[in-house]
Amino acid sequence: MKPFVYITRKIPSEIVENLQSNFEVEMWEREDSPVPRTILLEKSKKASALFTVLSDNVDQELFEVSSELKVVANMAVGFDNIDLNAANEKGIAICNTPDVLTETTADLTFALLMATARRVVEAAQFVREGEWKSWSPLLLAGTDIHHKTIGIVGMGSIGEAVAKRAKGFDMEILYHNRSRKQKAEEELGAVYTELDELLKRADFVVCLAPLTAETKGLFQKEQFRMMKKSAIFINAARGPIVNEENLYEALQNKEIAGAGLDVFDKEPISADHPLLTLKNVVALPHIGSSSRETRYNMMMLCVENINLILNGDKPKTLVNKEWLGKEK
Ligand code: DGY
C-alpha cells in the first residue's frame, strides 16, 4: 500500500501531481476555509505526511492519533502553529518554507510601511468615493519615509531584506534581535540597539520577530507609550506579538500616528474589528508571502520535503534538528 499524504488546503493540481505518482494523496478541497478539526484528526490517523498551512493547529492531540506520521510540511516560514516538543517526542520531522519567501515578504512589509505613511489606501478610497474636488496644499498629506529612522524588531532574513530596502530610501536603520547581525551592520549600516531605545528613536517600528514564548505580547501599552507620537507601527510577523487592545488605545489616543498590520491576534478578523474603525490603520489579510511565484515555490518546497522524508532522505528545510538521527 502506498503511504498516505494529506493536504489540508486546496492547492493547484499541478503541484499535487508531484506527490501522486508515489503516494496516495487526499486534499481538503476548499481554498477559503480551513479543514475542520475532526477531519484533520481523522486523516492524520493514517497519514505518513501532512502538508499543512499556518491556520492548522498541529498539536499533541494530533500527534497522539497519528501512528504513521513521519513529516509535517508547513507552508510558512513560521511554525508557531505546531507543537515542536510533541513532534520531537514522537520523532516526527517538521519542515517549513524559509528563504523562498524572504524577498517577497520584505516587499510587502515595505509596501505596508509606505502605504501607511503616505495614506495610500485612504487616498485611493477617497478618489473612488468621488470625494476629490480639487488639488489642495495639504490634501491627504502623509509623512516622509526617506531619510527617516526605521527600527526593525526581529532581524532574521526578512528583517535584513527590509533593511536593504530601507537603505535604498536613505533611512537610518536600527535593529533589535536576539543576536547581533554583523553582515547587516557592515553592509547596511544597521545599528544594534536595546528595544527601549529603538522604540524611542524610530519613526517606523517594524515587527518581524517570530512568535515565541518570549515575544508573545511584546508590544503593549508601555511599548507604544515609548514610541514617538509621530511613529508608525508595522506588524508583518504574527498577531499575538501585539496586544491589540493596547494598540487600538495607542492609536485612538494619538500616542502613535498609525499602524500597518498584515497579521492579527485571531485571524481572520471580521469587518467590525475595532482597529478597522480607525483611518490611520492599514489592514491586510496576512499576505506577506503572497506573490504567485513565491507561493508556488513554497508549495513545491513542501512537496520536496515530503518526497525526501518518505523516501528516507533528509529534508531540505528541517525545523526540529532534534529529529536528525531519530528518523522513523
Ligand atoms: C509565514 O510564512 O510564516 C508567513 O506568515 C506566511 O505568509
Side-chain angles (χ1 to χ4, degrees):
M1 223 171 60
K2 286 181 178 177
F4 175 61
V5 177
Y6 189 65
I7 305 172
T8 66
R9 194 64 65 99
K10 186 174 169 57
I11 59 172
S13 52
E14 85 234 42
I15 301 207
V16 182
E17 277 160 22
N18 291 286
L19 291 165
Q20 276 164 333
S21 39
N22 297 325
F23 313 117
E24 181 198 340
V25 183
E26 268 184 48
M27 175 166 78
W28 174 244
E29 291 287 347
R30 299 279 302 267
E31 246 174 85
D32 57 353
S33 70
V35 58
R37 180 77 182 165
T38 46
I39 297 181
L40 176 61
L41 291 179
E42 199 49 45
K43 300 295 177 189
S44 298
K45 282 183 190 163
K46 61 168 190 160
S48 296
L50 290 175
F51 178 130
T52 56
V53 296
L54 52 81
S55 50
D56 298 318
N57 187 13
V58 184
D59 58 2
Q60 181 151 22
E61 185 192 17
L62 184 148
F63 290 124
E64 292 298 338
V65 299
S66 318
S67 53
E68 304 298 316
L69 193 61
K70 293 190 173 53
V71 54
V72 176
N74 199 43
M75 188 187 157
V77 63
F79 42 84
D80 45 280
N81 58 317
I82 300 178
D83 184 338
L84 282 191
N85 290 330
N88 285 334
E89 263 170 41
K90 293 268 172 187
I92 294 164
I94 306 300
C95 299
N96 65 343
T97 59
D99 307 328
V100 291
L101 50 64
T102 300
E103 298 296 331
T104 301
T105 308
D107 281 349
L108 190 279
T109 306
F110 216 80
L112 189 51
L113 182 156
M114 293 183 76
T116 313
R118 296 301 305 273
R119 302 171 66 182
V120 171
V121 178
E122 209 185 326
Q125 195 67 16
F126 180 83
V127 176
R128 275 181 188 275
E129 285 170 2
E131 296 290 325
W132 188 20
K133 305 290 185 250
S134 73
W135 185 92
S136 77
L138 284 175
L139 179 64
L140 286 155
T143 186
D144 278 336
I145 297 152
H146 65 88
H147 296 96
K148 292 281 183 76
T149 300
I150 187 170
I152 300 172
V153 180
M155 194 68 148
S157 44
I158 300 172
E160 289 193 30
V162 168
K164 211 162 55 178
R165 285 153 179 76
K167 188 175 161 64
F169 279 71
D170 293 320
M171 296 178 91
E172 182 185 6
I173 303 164
L174 309 179
Y175 78 96
H176 181 74
N177 196 54
R178 274 174 302 192
S179 57
R180 293 284 288 265
K181 295 290 175 149
Q182 212 180 331
K183 194 161 161 254
E185 292 186 13
E186 285 168 10
E187 291 177 12
L188 304 171
V191 177
Y192 176 85
T193 59
E194 291 304 327
L195 183 61
D196 291 3
E197 193 192 338
L198 179 150
L199 298 177
K200 286 177 195 154
R201 285 176 55 193
D203 298 300
F204 297 94
V205 175
V206 179
C207 174
L208 287 163
L211 174 60
T212 62
E214 291 77 46
T215 62
K216 191 161 194 252
L218 178 65
F219 288 92
Q220 311 211 4
K221 217 176 257 183
E222 195 189 332
Q223 283 64 40
F224 294 120
R225 288 208 174 130
M226 275 186 222
M227 293 182 199
K228 296 179 180 179
K229 288 208 180 332
S230 56
I232 287 180
F233 176 70
I234 304 294
N235 188 6
R238 286 291 183 271
I241 299 176
V242 177
N243 180 317
E244 268 172 18
E245 264 179 50
N246 292 172
L247 172 62
Y248 174 83
E249 283 158 14
L251 288 160
Q252 175 85 337
N253 301 336
K254 304 207 176 335
E255 284 162 9
I256 63 170
L261 307 168
D262 185 39
V263 290
F264 295 86
D265 193 11
K266 301 256 175 316
E267 296 176 3
I269 59 168
S270 57
D272 62 357
H273 191 289
L275 283 166
L276 299 182
T277 61
L278 303 175
K279 278 202 160 165
N280 52 353
V281 168
V282 176
L284 301 178
H286 202 150
I287 53 165
S289 61
S290 189
S291 70
R292 280 187 295 278
E293 299 90 330
T294 290
R295 286 286 164 90
Y296 176 86
N297 290 335
M298 290 165 74
M299 290 186 268
M300 283 307 290
L301 183 51
C302 289
V303 163
E304 225 179 316
N305 281 326
I306 290 173
N307 269 319
L308 285 165
I309 294 213
L310 295 189
N311 285 324
D313 294 318
K314 305 247 177 304
K316 280 183 96 172
T317 50
L318 181 68
V319 170
N320 52 343
K321 308 290 179 245
E322 297 84 343
W323 174 83
L324 292 167
K326 292 191 201 146
E327 296 94 321
K328 276 195 197 171

